[in-house]
Each structure stands twice: as C-alpha cells, then as structure tokens.
Amino acid sequence: MSMSRSAAQLLLLDDPQEWSAFGRPHSPAAPAGPADPATVWDSQVVLEGMHCAACALTIEDALRAVPGVLQADVSAATRRARVLWQPGLVRPSQWLQAVHQAGYRAMPAVDALAREQRLRASRQALWRWLVAGFCMMQVMMYAWPAYVAEPGDLTGEMEQLLRWACWVISLAVVVFCCGPFFAGALRDIRLRRVSMDLPVALGMAITFGVSTAGTFDPSGIFGREVFYDSLTMFVFFLLTGRWLELRLRDRTAGALEAVLNRLPDSVERRCADGSFSRVATRRLAVGDTIRVLPGEAFAADGRITLGSTCADEALLTGESTPVARPVGSKVLAGSYNLQSPVEMLVEGTDGQTRWAQIVALMDSAALQKPRLAQLADRIARPFLVLVLAAAALAALHGWSADPGHALMVAVAVLIVTCPCALSLATPVAMLTAAGTLARHGVLVRNLQGLEALARVDTVVFDKTGTLTRDGMALRAVHTAAGWGADEALALAAALARHSMHPAARAVVAAAAAVTVADGRWRLADWQEEAGLGLRATVQDGAGAVRIVRLGSARHAGLAAQQDSGAPQVLLSEQGPDGAVLELARFDLVEDLRCEAAAVVQALERQGLSVQLLSGDRIGAVQRVAALAGIATDRAQGDCTPQGKLAALQALQAGGRHVAMVGDGLNDGPVLAGADVSFAFGRAVPLARSRADFVVLGDDLALVVQTLLLARRTLRVVRQNLCWAALYNALCVPLALLGWMPAWLAGLGMALSSLLVVLNAARLSKPLRFADGPAKPVSRRPLAWGAAAAPAAGDTDDAGDAQRDERPQPPPPMRAVQRTS
C-alpha cells in the first residue's frame, strides 16, 4: 500500500503545473509552454538516506543514467540535488524513481512535504539517540561486575545471566538504533558499491555476532569474552555525532533555508465576484489580485492597490529597517507584511521575481563543489575499499591466536577509518560561510569564489555607484550660443528619461525641479551604449530632425574639459556635414559614500592594494580617489569597458590576484575577467550577473567583511583537512595493532566528524567590520549602462524618501551662457 501511495505521489509531479513548485525553466529562450519538448527544466530535490560523498556520487550516477537527464549535481553537505531534464524525453516521476531504486528518497525542494519529512527525520534521529543512550547505560551496569570482579567472585551462572541481559538490551539497539546503518549497507551490497554505511554496519554486525556466539556457546571459540558494552557505546557515540551534526547543519544553513522557504504555500486570491478564496501560490498569474495579512510573506512581485503597510525586505535587498509601502508602491516576493492587511496586483511570478533569482543563485552555490571538496570526493571510494581490505588483513593476521580479538581489531579498523570528517571538511565550512553572508545581505554565487577571495592581493573599485552614491545633482549648465539653459535641459531630459544611469536621473530630476517641459521633443531610434551614453534621432516642434547625443565627451568625439573635477554630461548634435556640435555641458556633483574611506583603509591594513578604474573624466576620478584615500597613481579615468578589462588583465599578468567591485552593468566584462568579483544586486537582474558575490544591500563595508570571512573560511578548511589527516594517521595504526577497542574507535569517529562541524560553525558568527560592526546604509537604485532598457517594474519610486539616512538637497543650479 505504501509503495502504491508513493508511486501515486510521484505521478502527481508529472503535471506540468506542479513543476514550478520545485524548479524553473532553464532554457534561455521562453518556449511555447512549460511542457514544450524544447524546454530544459532546472529542478531541486531534497534527498534522504545519504551520509557521505560516496552517496552523493552514487545518486549522481543514477540520475545521469536516465535518458533525458542532462545534468545532475548532488551536495553531500546540504543533501540536495539539482537536476536538468527535458520534458520531451523524461518526466519527474521517472528520474525520482531512479533515485529510489538507488536506495535513497528524493522529494521536491521548497515544499511543505520536504520540510515535514526533514522534521520527522530529525525526531527519529533523536529517538534513536535516546534509546541508544539508555540501553548503553543498562548494558554498562550489567557489564561492570565482569570488569571489577576478582577470580571466583562471579559464578558461571551469574556471568551467563549478565550476558543474556546484555544480549536482550543490545538486540533493541541493533534492531532500532542501527536500522539506518544496516539499511544503507544492504543497499550498497545490492548495488555492488561502497559507502560509509558499509564498514560501520559490518563493524556492528561482527561485534553483535561475536558477542551472540559467546552468549549462546560460552565454551566455543568466541566464548571467552563478549563486547555488548563496546557495541552499545560506539553506536551511541555514532548517533550522538550524527544528531549533533544534523542540528548544527540545520542551524548554520538557517539563512539559506530562510530564503528558500520564504514564500507561503497558499494565498487569498480575489474571485470574479469580489470574494477571496485561498489557492496554492504556484497557481498565481500576472494580473491576479491577492490579499496579504500582517505577518505573511508577499507571494509574488507586484504593486499595492489597497491599504498601506511596512515591509521587511532584509534578506532580499539588504535593507536593515522596515520600509514604508503605501498605495501604488512596489513590493517584492519573499518580503514580509509587518503592519496591516493590504491588497496587491500581481506583476511577476515564478522565475520573474527577485526572490526566484536569489533562490537560483543560492541553489547553484549550495550544489557547487570547491576544488578541495572534489578532491575529497574522488578519494572517498578508494579509501573505503582500502579500509575494508585493511580490516580483512587485520582479522586474518590475528585469527590463529584469538579469533574473537582478531575480529574486534577488524571492527575497530572499520569504524575508526570512515572518511566522514574528510568528506565534510570543505563543504560544511564553505556552506556555513555562505549562510553567514546571506544573513548579512551577500549572496555567494560561486563557492570557489571564497577560496579565490582569500588569496586576493588587489581590490579594484568602480567609481560611479560603487565608491560614490548613486544620487547626483545638477550643479551648472554651460550652453552654446543660441541655446538657453531651459531649452538644453529639456532636450537632455527627453533623452535621459530612457536611461537609468545616475547622471541621467540627475538631469531628469533637475528638469522636473524647474518645471521644464520636454514635450516638444519627439525621439526615435534611441539607443544606449554601455559606459558612454545615449544617441537618438529627435524631431522638434517645428518638424526639424536632428541626431543628438547625451553622455560623455568621448561618446560625442569631443575633448573633455580638464579644469574641473566635477563629473560632466555633454549634449551634442551631428551637423549637416557630419561634424559634432556641442550644445551644452551639465556639471554634476556626486558624493563619496560615507564608509568608502574607512573601507579603503581597512583593505590596505589587510595588506591589499586598492585601485580605481572608471569611465568618468580623469579630474572627477582623481577627486574621488583623493577623498577615498586611494593613491592618485592607482586611479585611472576615461576607461571604456574594454579598457577596464585590459587594465585588469595587465595587473593579472604582473602576478596580481584581483578582486573587482562594480555595479554589474557596464562592468560586466571586467567582473567576468577578475579572479573574484562583487556586484551590487540592485544593479541588474541577479540571474544575469557575472559576479561571484552579489551584494543585496548598499554597504561597501560588506566587501571587507566578506574578504575577512573568506580568509577565516580557508583557515577553517585547512584546519579541518589537517585534523582529518592527523586523526587517520594516528588512529589507523593504533586500531591495526589492537590498541584501540571498538567503543573508542566509535568515539573517535564521531568526535572527528563533530569537531569538523563545530569548527565550521565558528564561521556563523556575525560579521564585523575591521573597526567594529558595520552600520546599515541606504539602499541604492538601479545604475546606468545596461545594453537594453530595464524591465518593467524594476524601478521603485515609492518610499525613496525613507531610504537615505542622510538626505542632502541638491545645490542650486547655475546657468552659464557661453559661446561655441
């Protein structure tokens, strides 16, 4: 009955409408529908029954053997799998059944059933540990007289009675507490493979078998001594280690789970008659109206249509304080409604939401295997084969002298050499660090980036939107002869409305502040070149057509003015003869981030060289560098995106390990070319970011904190690997010589794994800035330079007044008339 119910549950997952609950389309182009044969789906599942790297490799092999499964990645640390599959060739029930046939259980991730199953598994582990501990104490009580009695104190009948009492109690331990170990070993034997459960189960079976033989036949070859106390002790120690490891793993992965399981399972959706009914979240569609109560998470991206509230967006945007969300403001899926009931219009669901992009980044990071972890995985299986061979040789060597003692030596070898600590050394530390960073607003897209960041010796910053605030203000307008300041500003604003660059926003804001109307200008064929500016064909009210550019002087092909350190935007047009005519220059003012100088100082104290690369004019770059404390000879201006990449490659050619910090737009090539890179998550859709780390908030101090944590993580990984190697180097010879009893071997194995996890748990401490805790700063809007126009809904104008902790009014604008 249970098998048929399980099969029925698997068949339910073949419904295409259920696939979005645990996956998303992976194809770059959107097909006709989710079940289209050309679609490639990226699904996440939670696994049960795996305990080591060998189990992960087995599940990967089983999944990849299914036709239609393109890729399978399994993480032993998180017990999750990522599967890429094609609906035209295979259905979820088929590749999930392949996992079941391999001896494991797989359930859809981010699902209530998976969460319930994890809780049930945790309770079962606790009960097994409690029963093992109680039985161990009882067995020790009955075994103690045999240790302390003098010859003649115990009669044969009493000694035999104590052995039978120990056998009865140990039988409960073997049947209930050792069940998972035996089930895993039988699965390995059936599939002709080796994993951690096989040597452990062999050790338990041999110990119980030898002791049982000695109990039933005291005069036989195994009757001289029984080992129930050793059996119950090392079972208790192993279960203690596993239970604590499970608890610590759940706690350190709490930030990841907090994001992955943030959406509600169901929501109240408005029906055609105006009433509300509760439906599954995955059934939502764009255009639906839903009601969100206080304490609930928003299930989709959208805009509030009725009511006002405050939202907690800490894990999504890095905003440390609740954000006001009045009528008309945008809310993000995964943020919490804190204040009052609201109604919202759904504008984005499934993979369109920011929450889905964050989940995609975290899932891919959690399933990645750093180089050190891949090395441990490769040696796990051969190491286990050597363990079995060593145990067999130890038993054969001592069989002629004392068969019982020889078998117990083999048991000690089997137990003490299990490579749990070696398999956990790297992934547990990396994932703990990733969880800590996630809690502080930094997403790790590439676990290998932690290792690379720890070796960095040079940090390169972009200027606009990175070292400086996104907010700019127009300080002065310099116009050519025949042009008024208002007229030039109106034309510039008409172009600037099509860009999200901070300079463009400053021009638009200045035009609005002086009530300049740009309706007389009609644009056609506008385009934006990343890092340079805008170009458009403009028709004025009289019908005259002209080609106009707005951007840097380099974009217009004119010389930049070097007498001013202020950023400038140039408005120009192409004359009838093809010459470029300057119409106006707009002087802007930008502010250095309040924490920028402290961040630069902290990086230099850590022995790093700090440099600045910017596409802005050299005067503005030198001014910002001086304010931030960066040496002027390490600040370069007038860099194109290709020029930035060339400068970075020159540093790498000189033996430097470079980290790049940029806004993720026109810095795409240099972010991809750096050894490790940071991008601010609000700059671009997260799924298209090329950075190794995505900073969701707006605090540069997170760069320093991430660097320090990466160095701590690499130290912890090295400590874990050294401990695992030292433990095996010391304990294996002792076990082979017979100087380590089985109970001590179990204790050593449990403590080795537990020590690795506890050492990694130190990485979950709150991040601290070099000079103290980092202070939250304002969130930043989107930056300028994307090759395409921003998607609808990317801007967020509501609540902007509450975001800046230090609002500064723009300086008064000056109009300067000059001749061309």
Side-chain angles (χ1 to χ4, degrees):
M1 180 65 69
S2 62
M3 290 299 295
S4 62
R5 188 185 304 115
S6 176
Q9 290 174 347
L10 289 181
L11 291 176
L12 288 176
L13 299 178
D14 290 344
D15 182 357
Q17 292 187 348
E18 299 292 331
W19 297 349
S20 60
F22 61 102
R24 59 190 176 277
H26 184 73
S27 302
D36 190 280
T39 311
V40 175
W41 273 82
D42 184 343
S43 297
Q44 306 282 335
V45 293
V46 178
L47 300 167
E48 281 189 6
M50 61 177 297
H51 303 289
C52 65
C55 298
L57 296 175
T58 299
I59 297 174
E60 286 181 354
D61 293 341
L63 286 169
R64 291 169 181 168
V66 178
V69 174
L70 306 181
Q71 182 180 340
D73 299 300
V74 179
S75 170
T78 60
R79 300 178 186 178
R80 295 169 66 93
R82 175 184 181 230
V83 184
L84 297 182
W85 55 282
Q86 285 186 291
L89 301 176
V90 69
R91 294 289 174 167
S93 62
Q94 295 173 281
W95 50 263
L96 286 171
Q97 187 62 35
V99 176
H100 291 191
Q101 292 174 354
Y104 303 90
R105 289 197 61 191
M107 295 165 295
V110 197
D111 185 81
L113 177 63
R115 294 194 293 271
E116 180 183 348
Q117 188 64 33
R118 285 196 298 272
L119 291 175
R120 183 161 58 248
S122 179
R123 287 194 296 267
Q124 289 176 349
L126 178 60
W127 272 111
R128 288 192 178 97
W129 175 70
L130 292 173
V131 170
F134 176 78
C135 292
M136 178 194 68
M137 291 186 291
Q138 296 301 311
V139 168
M140 289 300 299
M141 181 177 67
Y142 292 127
W144 182 251
Y147 285 105
V148 299
E150 298 293 335
D153 288 350
L154 284 178
T155 63
E157 293 80 1
M158 179 58 69
E159 184 175 357
Q160 188 66 11
L161 179 62
L162 292 176
R163 287 189 178 187
W164 277 105
C166 292
W167 181 83
V168 172
I169 298 172
S170 299
L171 184 62
V173 174
V174 172
V175 172
F176 177 66
C177 301
C178 301
F181 298 102
F182 289 128
L186 291 175
R187 177 185 61 213
D188 295 340
I189 294 173
R190 186 178 68 252
L191 299 175
R192 298 179 181 179
R193 64 172 186 236
V194 177
S195 73
M196 190 204 74
D197 285 334
L198 183 58
V200 171
L202 279 176
M204 295 173 178
I206 292 173
T207 305
F208 187 71
V210 169
S211 302
T212 300
T215 301
F216 281 82
D217 186 11
S219 60
I221 59 173
F222 300 119
R224 189 172 65 89
E225 187 178 3
V226 293
F227 306 95
Y228 296 117
D229 52 344
S230 295
L231 171 66
T232 54
M233 286 179 70
F234 78 70
V235 170
F236 174 73
F237 292 145
L238 290 179
L239 292 177
T240 300
R242 282 200 175 183
W243 183 69
L244 290 176
E245 177 190 325
L246 179 64
R247 292 294 303 273
L248 288 169
R249 179 182 295 168
D250 290 343
R251 190 187 74 180
T252 55
L256 301 179
E257 291 293 323
V259 175
L260 296 179
N261 299 324
R262 202 170 175 88
L263 291 192
D265 298 323
S266 62
V267 294
E268 293 184 357
R269 183 176 62 182
R270 177 181 288 171
C271 303
D273 59 0
S275 62
F276 286 87
S277 63
R278 189 160 288 274
V279 298
T281 299
R282 59 180 176 271
R283 303 290 183 181
L284 289 180
V286 175
D288 288 343
T289 297
I290 63 175
R291 181 167 58 194
V292 184
L293 301 177
E296 291 184 344
F298 291 97
D301 286 355
R303 291 191 179 273
I304 294 179
T305 58
L306 179 63
S308 62
T309 186
C310 289
D312 176 9
E313 301 177 352
L315 285 179
L316 300 175
T317 66
E319 179 63 64
S320 60
T321 58
V323 181
R325 288 292 177 250
V327 173
S329 60
K330 183 175 179 180
V331 290
L332 300 175
S335 60
Y336 280 109
N337 180 12
L338 299 179
Q339 198 171 67
S340 59
V342 295
E343 294 181 13
M344 62 168 285
L345 178 67
V346 175
E347 296 180 342
T349 61
D350 298 335
Q352 307 167 5
T353 65
R354 182 183 181 86
W355 174 85
Q357 296 169 5
I358 292 175
V359 168
L361 294 182
M362 301 178 77
D363 278 340
S364 63
L367 291 168
Q368 290 170 0
K369 295 181 180 178
R371 284 193 297 263
L372 294 175
Q374 294 173 7
L375 177 62
D377 289 352
R378 285 196 297 268
I379 68 175
R381 280 179 174 172
F383 184 77
L384 285 171
V385 173
L386 290 177
V387 167
L388 294 175
L393 290 176
L396 291 175
H397 180 268
W399 185 268
S400 58
D402 187 345
H405 179 72
L407 288 178
M408 294 310 297
V409 170
V411 168
V413 174
L414 288 172
I415 296 173
V416 80
T417 54
C418 283
C420 297
L422 185 64
S423 298
L424 292 172
T426 299
V428 169
M430 294 286 190
L431 290 173
T432 302
T436 301
L437 290 172
R439 286 196 301 272
H440 291 79
V442 180
L443 294 185
V444 182
R445 295 189 65 249
N446 179 13
L447 282 181
Q448 193 62 48
L450 286 168
E451 184 178 345
L453 183 60
R455 298 191 174 98
V456 159
D457 55 22
T458 302
V459 178
V460 177
F461 285 96
D462 179 41
K463 180 181 71 69
T464 304
T466 304
L467 282 180
T468 62
R469 292 181 180 273
D470 274 347
M472 291 185 177
L474 183 61
R475 188 179 66 180
V477 180
H478 307 272
T479 59
W483 281 80
D486 290 351
E487 185 182 18
L489 188 57
L491 176 57
L495 272 72
R497 293 185 190 280
H498 296 276
S499 174
M500 299 306 296
H501 192 280
R505 285 193 165 192
V507 172
V508 173
V514 295
T515 63
V516 171
D518 58 1
R520 58 171 292 199
W521 306 104
R522 289 186 294 175
L523 272 65
D525 300 329
W526 66 270
Q527 62 183 8
E528 184 172 11
E529 186 174 350
L532 295 177
L534 290 153
R535 180 183 182 275
T537 301
V538 180
Q539 183 177 7
D540 61 17
V545 177
R546 61 184 74 193
I547 298 176
V548 181
R549 290 185 175 90
L550 179 70
S552 65
R554 182 177 62 253
H555 184 229
L558 298 174
Q561 290 184 351
Q562 303 293 336
D563 56 347
S564 173
Q568 282 191 337
V569 175
L570 179 68
L571 179 67
S572 61
E573 71 171 326
Q574 183 175 329
D577 56 354
V580 177
L581 305 177
E582 179 180 335
L583 303 181
R585 289 180 185 258
F586 303 94
D587 287 347
L588 306 177
V589 59
E590 58 181 348
D591 293 327
L592 189 72
R593 293 183 184 274
C594 58
E595 75 275 14
V599 167
V600 171
Q601 293 175 7
L603 291 172
E604 290 179 342
R605 282 198 300 271
Q606 295 297 322
L608 281 79
S609 172
V610 181
Q611 305 200 15
L612 176 60
L613 292 177
S614 176
D616 205 349
R617 297 168 53 253
I618 188 63
V621 174
Q622 297 286 353
R623 182 182 69 86
V624 170
L627 292 174
I630 301 175
T632 54
D633 59 341
R634 296 179 180 175
Q636 300 182 40
D638 294 318
C639 296
T640 63
Q642 293 74 22
K644 290 183 180 181
L645 180 59
L648 181 137
Q649 291 173 341
L651 290 172
Q652 293 172 325
R656 295 278 187 172
H657 298 279
V658 184
M660 178 68 196
V661 185
D663 59 15
L665 287 168
N666 52 16
D667 294 324
V670 71
L671 288 174
D675 296 282
V676 62
S677 52
F678 290 81
F680 286 91
R682 298 182 64 85
V684 291
L686 297 177
R688 290 186 289 175
S689 176
R690 298 184 180 183
D692 300 296
F693 300 91
V694 178
V695 182
L696 298 179
D698 196 26
D699 190 357
L700 273 181
L702 289 172
V703 174
V704 184
Q705 294 168 342
T706 305
L707 171 70
L708 297 177
L709 184 62
R711 291 182 173 181
R712 286 176 53 202
T713 302
L714 199 58
R715 286 198 299 269
V716 167
V717 168
R718 289 170 177 165
Q719 292 167 2
N720 286 347
L721 292 174
C722 289
W723 161 250
L726 180 63
Y727 160 76
N728 283 282
L730 291 177
C731 294
V732 172
L734 295 177
L736 288 172
L737 293 173
W739 295 350
M740 178 173 285
W743 67 266
L744 186 57
L747 178 61
M749 175 191 169
L751 288 180
S752 64
S753 299
L754 189 58
L755 182 61
V756 165
V757 177
L758 285 173
N759 194 31
R762 297 189 298 118
L763 298 171
S764 63
K765 295 179 180 178
L767 296 178
R768 294 184 63 84
F769 189 43
D771 295 325
K775 297 180 179 180
V777 296
S778 61
R779 296 178 296 145
R780 60 197 291 270
L782 298 172
W784 189 15
D794 278 353
T795 59
D796 186 4
D797 298 327
D800 283 345
Q802 290 89 356
R803 293 177 184 169
D804 196 344
E805 295 180 354
R806 301 188 303 109
Q808 297 178 357
M813 185 181 67
R814 296 186 295 111
V816 181
Q817 185 77 24
R818 62 181 177 84
T819 58
S820 57

